Amino acid sequence: MENKLIVSLSPHVHGSDSVEKNMYGVCIALLPALIASFCFFGLGAVTVMLTSVLACVFFEWAITKFILKRDKLTILDGSAILTGLLLGFNLPSNLPIWIIILGALFAIGVGKMTFGGLGQNIFNPALAGRVFLLISFPVQMTSWTDNVLDHVDGYSGATPLALMQKAILEKDPSVLNNLPSSLDMFLGQTEGSMGEVSALLLLLGCAFMLWKKIITWHIPVSIILTVFVFAGLLHLLDPVYAAPLQVIFSGGLILGACYMATDYVTSPMSHKGQLIYGVAIGLLTVVIRNWGAYPEGMSFAIIIMNAFTPLINTYCKPKRFGEVVRKEAAK
Amino acid sequence: MNSILMAVIALGVIGLLAALLLYFASRKFAVHEDERIGQVSAVLPQANCGGCGFPGCAGFAGACVKATDEKGSLEGLLCPVGGQPVMEQVAGILGMTVEATAPKVAVVRCNGSCENRPRLVEYDGATSCKVQAMVGMGETGCSYGCFGCGDCVRQCQFGAIRINPETKLAEVDEEKCTACGACAKACPRGIIEIRLKGPKNRRMVVLCNNKDKGAIANKWCKASCIGCGKCVKACEKFEAITVTKNLAYIDAEKCKLCRKCEEACPKGAIHAINMPPRKPKADAPAAPKAENTPTTPNTQSSPITPKEQQ
Amino acid sequence: MKTFHIGGVHPEENKLSAGSPIREAKLPRQAVFSMFQHIGAPANPVVKRGDQVKVGTLLGEAGGFVSAPIYSSVSGKVSKVDVALDASGLRRMAVTVDVEGDEWEEGIDRTDTLVRLADRPELDGKTIVEKIKQAGIVGMGGATFPTHVKLCPPPGKKAECVIVNAVECEPYLTADHRLMLEKPEEILVGLQLVMKAVGVEKGYIGIENNKPDAIALMAEKANQYPGIEVVPLKVKYPQGGEKQLIDAVIGRQVPAPPALPIDTGAIVQNVGTCFAIYEAVMKNKPLIERIITVTGKSLSLPSNLKARLGTPFQQLIDECGGLPEDTGKVIGGGPMMGKALMSLDVPMTKGSSGLLVMKKDEARRSEPQPCIRCAKCVGACPMGLEPYLLAKVSEQFDWDAAEQNDITSCIECGSCQFTCPSHRTLLDHIRLGKSTVMGIIRSRSAK
């Protein structure tokens, strides 16, 4: 057969970016925090993480193959692995394995595949799984094991978030004195889910993603700034509310802001929309944390704003070229 | 106990208020629709294919009722999907009569299979005929033939058209085709024609859409019409065939299915569809190559070098 | 450093032929002149089979105001006036000339002596525009819009400056770069002519800073030409787009269609066009040849050729080492906006800025994956559009939604598809949507 030329419309070159590069890029960004959580929580963390990732990949494979009956399998595009990782980060390290598998089934099965697979889901699958577990198994989901490196005596088992809520409920600012210092929290010496422990390493990964242009700064910065301002105001008004830095470095805020809220599929498309989304998540998080029934509000805030994403996309268009005629730059 | 009572009362009151609101809203915003529209809709196929020229079956039902009231006839209105039986039902509901219409079918007027029309280049882009039409001629040297990307397939509500993977041509399933015309509209090259089905579904068709001059048409496709006009001569008696822009066309109303044009065509571009196979000793006087005359669009006669008549 | 303000991407530059001086291509044995070498009405052939023509003989006259005449670039005998396959992949009207010798029409100055504006004081704006129109000059960056139309702003619009597009943001292409290095003064005189034609005092030459030698040379030469300033620009695609260039150089953005670039007071001309204008006005030479970059990673001799219009692409490739075995795609133009050719037996035209040979493995597109809504296309779009959305609604034939989301503003630069991690064929669908919506708008305003 003779050598046929190929014809197509332009462009004829591609920037060699790919879904895999982005997905595995996020996974790499999560690595430092992953290793840290293994150090902090020991073997339990390894088990939880492995179960979560393997279960997610398995369900993705099984559903594509046997239920959707698609020929092309998508387990290697990295999205299921990432979902598994993020789900694992949202779980305590002593969770029974069957609960993890249930969470993975919900995350992949309900959160992702029912909508049609990658790119179609409305809610972040990992968060859907976590919220499902949090509501179904509140006790198991909030009983933490000791952080092996924990230096805070006497309060093992009570996370900073629980302390913060306790202070508000009892109207007693002195409860907050039991909180670890914000530096400790920043470095990762507190209680919590696996991904909640080290803000420093998570931010390091976030910087990596920004450098690799996997994400833009809009969502993480808007969330963190909003929380800082809102929590700061509350703290100034009434000292029963914790100091803003402690609020930011506690719980899953950094994990949520940098890795979960920035999920491509479920976040708005335009920068303006992303800022609105971020600010709303920040506000909702503080509201739920301080006055809600659950100590942690991040996952709920993101899930709620996921639902608003299509609406934001409809109303927040990027600034069109020529819309604002700029002042003359040249004479 | 007291709190339960309070809750029950509160919810009850809210429910009552909501019910009242709904009641008044339904009265206030009620849309009065001619009940005949609903009745007509009920007998329509509900495929919402748009083949009738109205937006969906409800739109067609509305148009039927309107035509009854204003013109007093259903002339010009036809549900191509339901055809005669459905139109009779519609007419029955509205107290009208309908005239018989001849059933039609979609015909893909291209026989440029991979074998007949060699692929010169490979198209690598979005699977859409309309997009491929922007690249130039497409994969072959014919500027009028089927792209085989299936824009018609995606528009068909009835699963009646498909791309044959071997020939890379669109093929119509006559059983399923309702002649709604969606495929004809989708085709960027106007290859698909909604044609009379013909008596016993038998018809003569020029399976080519090439309007290039004979030399060019002949060069790139073995099965192309070159506009030589031999069929026109063969059909002098009925005057059913005309050649415009180097392309022969058979008027189905005038065609008497004599099959003379089929024999006359030097390129085998004219096909007799659903006709019984010819007897081996075909006593056609002017058909030296009649032995392997095609009877279906997919069997191919040996290519014959045409003499250009331009 | 200046650049445009929204979006943009940075494709690999691959300027393989930047160091190779312009060579004169051999005369073809047969030249084909398509009557569709410009945007607008096609030219009407004025010769018939058997006519003898010389270099510079009129072959086709302009078919309207937005049109341009076509001249023979070779001497010989007209062998055919018929449809022929051209670079667009369509069969369209063309004049074929069998080449005999190289005889030129009288009155064309073929010397290299520089003629400055001061040497021809009798030239006024009207004469210049008329000469440009007669010479059949069109935008030589690839858009092929007839130049004289651009130089006659619609009533009520006033030009304030002329910007020379020397950006050459398309990867691989180096024709403009080489032209600047070898004919700097001619380009500057060409720019002066344009400035005089539209009656402005200010001229800019926008050059991307991946061509430091050209920036230095042009800036040095421009010192002697009052009112002309060289503007170095940061490397970013699609800076060579007319709207992006105006934004980059004078910081004004052209409003959405139907506004025209002239609404910002700027007239943009390509470097090659300026050179052609110089030759047309000062040397009386119609547009019969141009510089074309013939390049590709697998090509043994990537070059910049000065070739006669109508030369078949096959011959140009043969002069640069022949078509390599593993060729998958041959592109007329650059890789971002060029057109893939069906056959190499098509002639080069006024808009042929490059000829790019791609290997099989480079040529094939990756299989599209589902959209992951990463918004990278939104970030890359230099027009501030939402390519993912436009592609989706076009795929669904939802033309109303496409129009509401400003599909007509798309400049088809390909940045969205270039950047898409899912390898989606965004621009294929957007093009379809854009042309359909334009058709709908036209038929609506016709009513």
Side-chain angles (χ1 to χ4, degrees):
Chain A
M1 208 171 91
E2 66 167 321
N3 199 0
K4 276 193 237 164
L5 288 180
I6 298 169
V7 293
S8 68
L9 291 172
S10 65
H12 305 287
V13 283
H14 191 271
S16 79
D17 196 0
S18 70
V19 175
E20 289 79 10
K21 269 191 192 171
N22 286 299
M23 293 297 171
Y24 290 122
V26 182
C27 294
I28 291 169
L30 282 170
L31 268 185
L34 183 69
I35 293 165
S37 74
F38 288 166
C39 299
F40 288 162
F41 297 112
L43 204 60
V46 180
T47 325
V48 169
M49 201 53 90
L50 262 182
T51 322
S52 166
V53 172
L54 288 180
C56 280
V57 173
F58 171 77
F59 287 127
E60 169 111 7
W61 172 79
I63 292 171
T64 344
K65 179 140 180 146
F66 298 111
I67 299 181
L68 298 178
K69 299 209 163 54
R70 287 187 193 153
D71 298 328
K72 214 181 137 212
L73 294 179
T74 50
I75 48 168
L76 285 180
D77 65 16
S79 62
I81 297 174
L82 183 59
T83 302
L85 269 180
L86 287 175
L87 180 67
F89 268 127
N90 274 302
L91 304 174
S93 56
N94 55 345
L95 203 62
I97 285 179
W98 65 273
I99 294 187
I100 304 171
I101 293 176
L102 207 59
L105 179 61
F106 191 87
I108 295 290
V110 180
K112 185 175 173 192
M113 300 314 272
T114 40
F115 293 98
L118 181 64
Q120 311 289 325
N121 47 307
I122 297 172
F123 301 107
N124 184 329
L127 274 181
R130 149 151 172 132
V131 168
F132 167 76
L133 292 183
L134 193 62
I135 295 170
S136 312
F137 308 99
V139 179
Q140 289 93 326
M141 282 293 284
T142 48
S143 58
W144 324 98
T145 45
D146 283 356
N147 183 334
V148 262
L149 300 177
D150 195 358
H151 299 303
V152 189
D153 293 326
Y155 263 93
S156 62
T159 63
L161 284 177
L163 287 174
M164 288 179 198
Q165 206 171 35
K166 195 171 166 212
I168 297 167
L169 284 175
E170 295 175 3
K171 293 197 170 43
D172 178 11
S174 65
V175 176
L176 290 174
N177 295 338
N178 295 316
L179 275 179
S181 74
S182 28
L183 184 67
D184 277 347
M185 287 160 81
F186 180 62
L187 293 175
Q189 299 172 352
T190 60
E191 312 289 325
S193 296
M194 290 162 56
E196 299 181 350
V197 288
S198 177
L200 172 68
L201 294 175
L202 287 171
L203 284 174
L204 202 71
C206 186
F208 171 79
M209 291 200 293
L210 285 170
W211 173 56
K212 281 279 172 198
K213 296 207 170 84
I214 294 171
I215 58 168
T216 57
W217 56 268
H218 301 81
I219 294 175
V221 169
S222 60
I223 293 180
I224 294 173
L225 262 187
T226 309
V227 170
F228 184 82
V229 172
F230 190 23
L233 279 177
L234 287 176
H235 183 66
L236 286 180
L237 287 175
D238 190 343
V240 296
Y241 299 107
L245 274 182
Q246 286 173 320
V247 173
I248 287 172
F249 295 132
S250 61
L253 202 136
I254 299 287
L255 182 73
C258 298
Y259 299 89
M260 318 280 266
T262 54
D263 171 34
Y264 285 151
V265 183
T266 54
S267 61
M269 303 293 278
S270 67
H271 292 327
K272 216 192 310 174
Q274 288 172 351
L275 290 177
I276 293 176
Y277 172 82
V279 169
I281 289 180
L283 290 177
L284 278 172
T285 305
V286 177
V287 168
I288 298 173
R289 275 190 181 184
N290 288 340
W291 301 298
Y294 287 90
E296 176 57 302
M298 197 66 203
S299 4
F300 292 103
I302 296 175
I303 288 268
I304 290 169
M305 287 318 292
N306 281 169
F308 278 97
T309 296
L311 195 69
I312 296 176
N313 278 340
T314 311
Y315 288 103
C316 288
K317 298 290 173 192
K319 193 164 78 190
R320 305 280 195 239
F321 185 89
E323 203 171 74
V324 185
V325 179
R326 254 189 291 279
K327 295 243 171 65
E328 284 174 55
K331 305 144 283 239
Chain B
M1 196 60 210
N2 203 15
S3 61
I4 291 175
L5 205 64
M6 281 302 292
V8 168
I9 290 171
L11 279 175
V13 170
I14 291 170
L16 210 65
L17 283 175
L20 276 173
L21 192 72
L22 277 178
Y23 172 75
F24 284 112
S26 72
R27 294 299 293 264
K28 172 110 174 115
F29 299 112
V31 179
H32 288 288
E33 195 193 59
D34 195 324
E35 58 188 20
R36 289 174 299 171
I37 294 179
Q39 290 166 354
V40 173
S41 277
V43 297
L44 292 175
Q46 293 302 337
N48 293 320
C49 64
C52 52
F54 296 94
C57 292
F60 180 68
C64 286
V65 172
K66 202 175 161 201
T68 310
D69 293 345
E70 285 173 10
K71 291 194 292 182
S73 86
L74 288 175
E75 207 187 315
L77 292 168
L78 171 70
C79 171
V81 178
Q84 196 62 19
V86 162
M87 286 316 290
E88 272 163 16
Q89 275 179 291
V90 171
I93 293 167
L94 298 172
M96 294 283 128
T97 51
V98 282
E99 280 173 31
T101 49
K104 292 188 173 181
V105 70
V107 175
V108 181
R109 292 181 297 163
C110 177
N111 195 21
S113 59
C114 300
E115 191 189 320
N116 287 334
R117 189 175 52 144
R119 266 51 184 169
L120 306 174
V121 290
E122 187 189 332
Y123 168 70
D124 178 26
T127 320
S128 158
C129 306
K130 284 198 161 100
V131 172
Q132 200 181 343
M134 291 190 293
V135 185
M137 274 193 298
E139 292 189 321
T140 69
C142 172
S143 332
Y144 296 93
C146 179
F147 285 118
C149 275
D151 274 6
C152 48
V153 178
R154 281 183 286 280
Q155 290 304 306
C156 184
Q157 305 280 329
F158 308 97
I161 196 163
R162 67 172 195 129
I163 301 292
N164 185 327
E166 263 172 47
T167 59
K168 293 217 181 131
L169 294 174
E171 259 174 27
V172 177
D173 182 338
E174 289 184 18
E175 296 286 306
K176 289 184 186 161
C177 178
T178 60
C180 71
C183 51
K185 262 183 240 159
C187 182
R189 285 183 164 175
I191 294 166
I192 304 176
E193 187 196 358
I194 305 299
R195 234 180 129 81
L196 286 175
K197 255 189 169 165
K200 288 191 199 164
N201 289 350
R202 292 174 180 182
R203 57 190 173 271
M204 302 297 294
V205 194
V206 181
L207 286 187
C208 185
N209 186 41
N210 193 314
K211 299 181 187 75
D212 275 327
K213 284 182 187 166
I216 296 173
N218 185 44
K219 186 173 178 190
W220 302 110
C221 181
K222 288 179 194 161
S224 59
C225 170
I226 52 172
C228 64
K230 282 187 178 165
C231 48
V232 179
K233 280 201 192 98
C235 197
E236 265 173 338
K237 205 167 152 195
F238 306 115
E239 293 181 332
I241 306 182
T242 45
V243 174
T244 36
K245 282 191 181 169
N246 309 307
L247 178 63
Y249 180 77
I250 302 175
D251 187 337
E253 304 263 355
K254 291 182 186 161
C255 177
K256 297 283 183 286
L257 305 177
C258 70
R259 299 180 77 172
K260 277 193 184 142
C261 49
E262 185 190 356
E263 289 155 17
C265 182
K267 295 215 56 187
I270 299 180
H271 292 257
I273 293 170
N274 294 329
M275 299 263 191
R278 297 202 156 206
K279 291 179 190 93
K281 49 171 179 111
D283 49 354
K289 289 120 191 163
E291 275 73 22
N292 47 359
T293 307
T295 46
T296 66
N298 294 324
T299 53
Q300 185 47 50
S301 66
S302 56
I304 299 145
T305 327
K307 285 172 221 95
E308 220 204 307
Q309 304 273 317
Q310 289 295 311
Chain C
M1 193 154 301
K2 285 182 180 176
T3 186
F4 57 96
H5 295 88
I6 302 179
V9 291
H10 193 176
E12 224 177 302
E13 286 164 25
N14 283 321
K15 305 273 191 188
L16 309 170
S17 50
S20 105
I22 297 171
R23 278 194 290 146
E24 192 127 3
K26 281 195 283 264
L27 276 180
R29 277 189 303 157
Q30 190 181 53
V32 181
F33 301 93
S34 168
M35 294 292 120
F36 291 76
Q37 300 198 22
H38 47 261
I39 288 180
N44 300 317
V46 293
V47 288
K48 52 187 191 305
R49 196 175 155 175
D51 283 2
Q52 284 289 338
V53 295
K54 292 179 189 170
V55 177
T57 309
L58 184 72
L59 295 179
E61 59 183 13
F65 179 63
V66 185
S67 183
I70 285 159
Y71 294 88
S72 177
S73 67
V74 291
S75 62
K77 199 190 216 172
V78 175
S79 65
K80 218 161 51 170
V81 181
D82 198 357
V83 289
L85 185 66
D86 66 18
S88 67
L90 297 172
R91 286 200 191 88
R92 302 197 284 196
M93 189 49 77
V95 173
T96 309
V97 178
D98 286 339
V99 180
E100 297 158 2
D102 192 26
E103 211 177 313
W104 288 56
E105 287 274 352
E106 278 166 37
I108 299 175
D109 179 0
R110 294 174 67 186
T111 59
D112 264 351
T113 25
L114 180 72
V115 188
R116 289 176 201 275
L117 194 58
D119 304 336
R120 302 282 300 274
E122 79 283 2
L123 284 173
D124 63 349
K126 256 208 166 119
T127 330
I128 296 172
V129 174
E130 191 52 33
K131 282 239 174 196
I132 291 171
K133 188 174 172 184
Q134 289 307 326
I137 294 176
V138 300
M140 304 206 7
T144 65
F145 191 77
T147 301
H148 67 272
V149 183
K150 252 189 184 176
L151 297 184
C152 304
K157 308 269 165 73
K158 177 81 187 82
E160 292 165 35
C161 63
V162 175
I163 301 174
V164 175
N165 186 349
V167 166
E168 205 158 50
C169 59
E170 276 271 5
Y172 290 96
L173 301 192
T174 55
D176 290 352
H177 184 186
R178 288 311 306 182
L179 191 63
M180 279 190 283
L181 291 180
E182 295 178 29
K183 308 273 182 197
E185 299 233 30
E186 282 86 347
I187 293 167
L188 287 163
V189 175
L191 170 57
Q192 275 188 317
L193 288 170
V194 177
M195 284 158 63
K196 188 152 191 185
V198 291
V200 301
E201 298 296 317
K202 192 74 205 158
Y204 300 95
I205 303 178
I207 311 177
E208 280 192 346
N209 71 342
N210 55 359
K211 299 180 261 295
D213 47 352
I215 296 175
L217 184 67
M218 291 305 281
E220 183 204 318
K221 299 279 183 194
N223 278 335
Q224 307 153 25
Y225 295 82
I228 296 182
E229 186 190 329
V230 173
V231 185
L233 300 167
K234 198 175 141 195
V235 181
K236 195 157 86 171
Y237 179 87
Q239 196 135 245
E242 196 172 23
K243 293 173 180 171
Q244 276 63 38
L245 186 65
I246 296 173
D247 185 19
V249 174
I250 60 169
R252 291 184 213 167
Q253 292 192 344
V254 184
L260 296 168
I262 186 69
D263 287 318
T264 60
I267 288 183
V268 179
Q269 293 296 345
N270 179 268
V271 178
T273 319
C274 283
F275 183 67
I277 288 171
Y278 163 81
E279 290 206 303
V281 179
M282 298 305 199
K283 303 274 186 178
N284 205 22
K285 183 171 154 193
L287 182 55
I288 53 160
E289 58 189 3
R290 68 161 295 149
I291 317 293
I292 177 170
T293 306
V294 184
T295 182
K297 284 179 187 160
S298 53
L299 207 61
S300 58
L301 200 63
S303 328
N304 301 293
L305 296 177
K306 183 175 170 190
R308 305 277 175 96
L309 301 181
T311 310
F313 282 139
Q314 178 71 56
Q315 187 196 324
L316 298 178
I317 290 187
D318 288 344
E319 284 193 37
C320 298
L323 194 69
E325 272 286 291
D326 61 344
T327 300
K329 212 183 224 177
V330 180
I331 298 158
M336 292 300 283
M337 291 187 77
K339 207 153 167 77
L341 301 173
M342 277 190 81
S343 152
L344 292 179
D345 292 327
V346 296
M348 67 176 277
T349 60
K350 293 175 180 177
S352 305
S353 51
L355 188 59
L356 169 62
V357 175
M358 283 180 109
K359 285 184 282 188
K360 269 230 140 67
D361 51 338
E362 298 174 287
R364 202 168 292 277
R365 292 180 176 176
S366 300
E367 201 180 322
Q369 283 170 288
C371 171
I372 53 169
R373 296 194 262 173
C374 63
K376 288 191 179 181
C377 54
V378 180
C381 180
M383 298 305 290
L385 304 173
E386 294 150 291
Y388 78 100
L389 183 68
L390 297 177
K392 194 176 83 184
V393 295
S394 298
E395 211 171 342
Q396 296 164 345
F397 300 161
D398 187 352
W399 312 126
D400 288 343
E403 192 182 345
Q404 277 159 20
N405 286 291
D406 304 314
I407 198 167
T408 52
S409 295
C410 173
I411 57 166
E412 303 182 20
C413 66
S415 299
C416 48
Q417 193 166 329
F418 174 84
T419 198
C420 179
S422 287
H423 296 266
R424 295 187 69 73
T425 50
L426 294 168
L427 190 56
D428 286 14
H429 292 293
I430 295 176
R431 274 214 179 87
L432 171 62
K434 185 183 165 189
S435 66
T436 314
V437 169
M438 300 272 254
I440 293 171
I441 292 175
R442 262 197 305 275
S443 64
R444 199 163 48 205
S445 56
K447 266 177 204 161

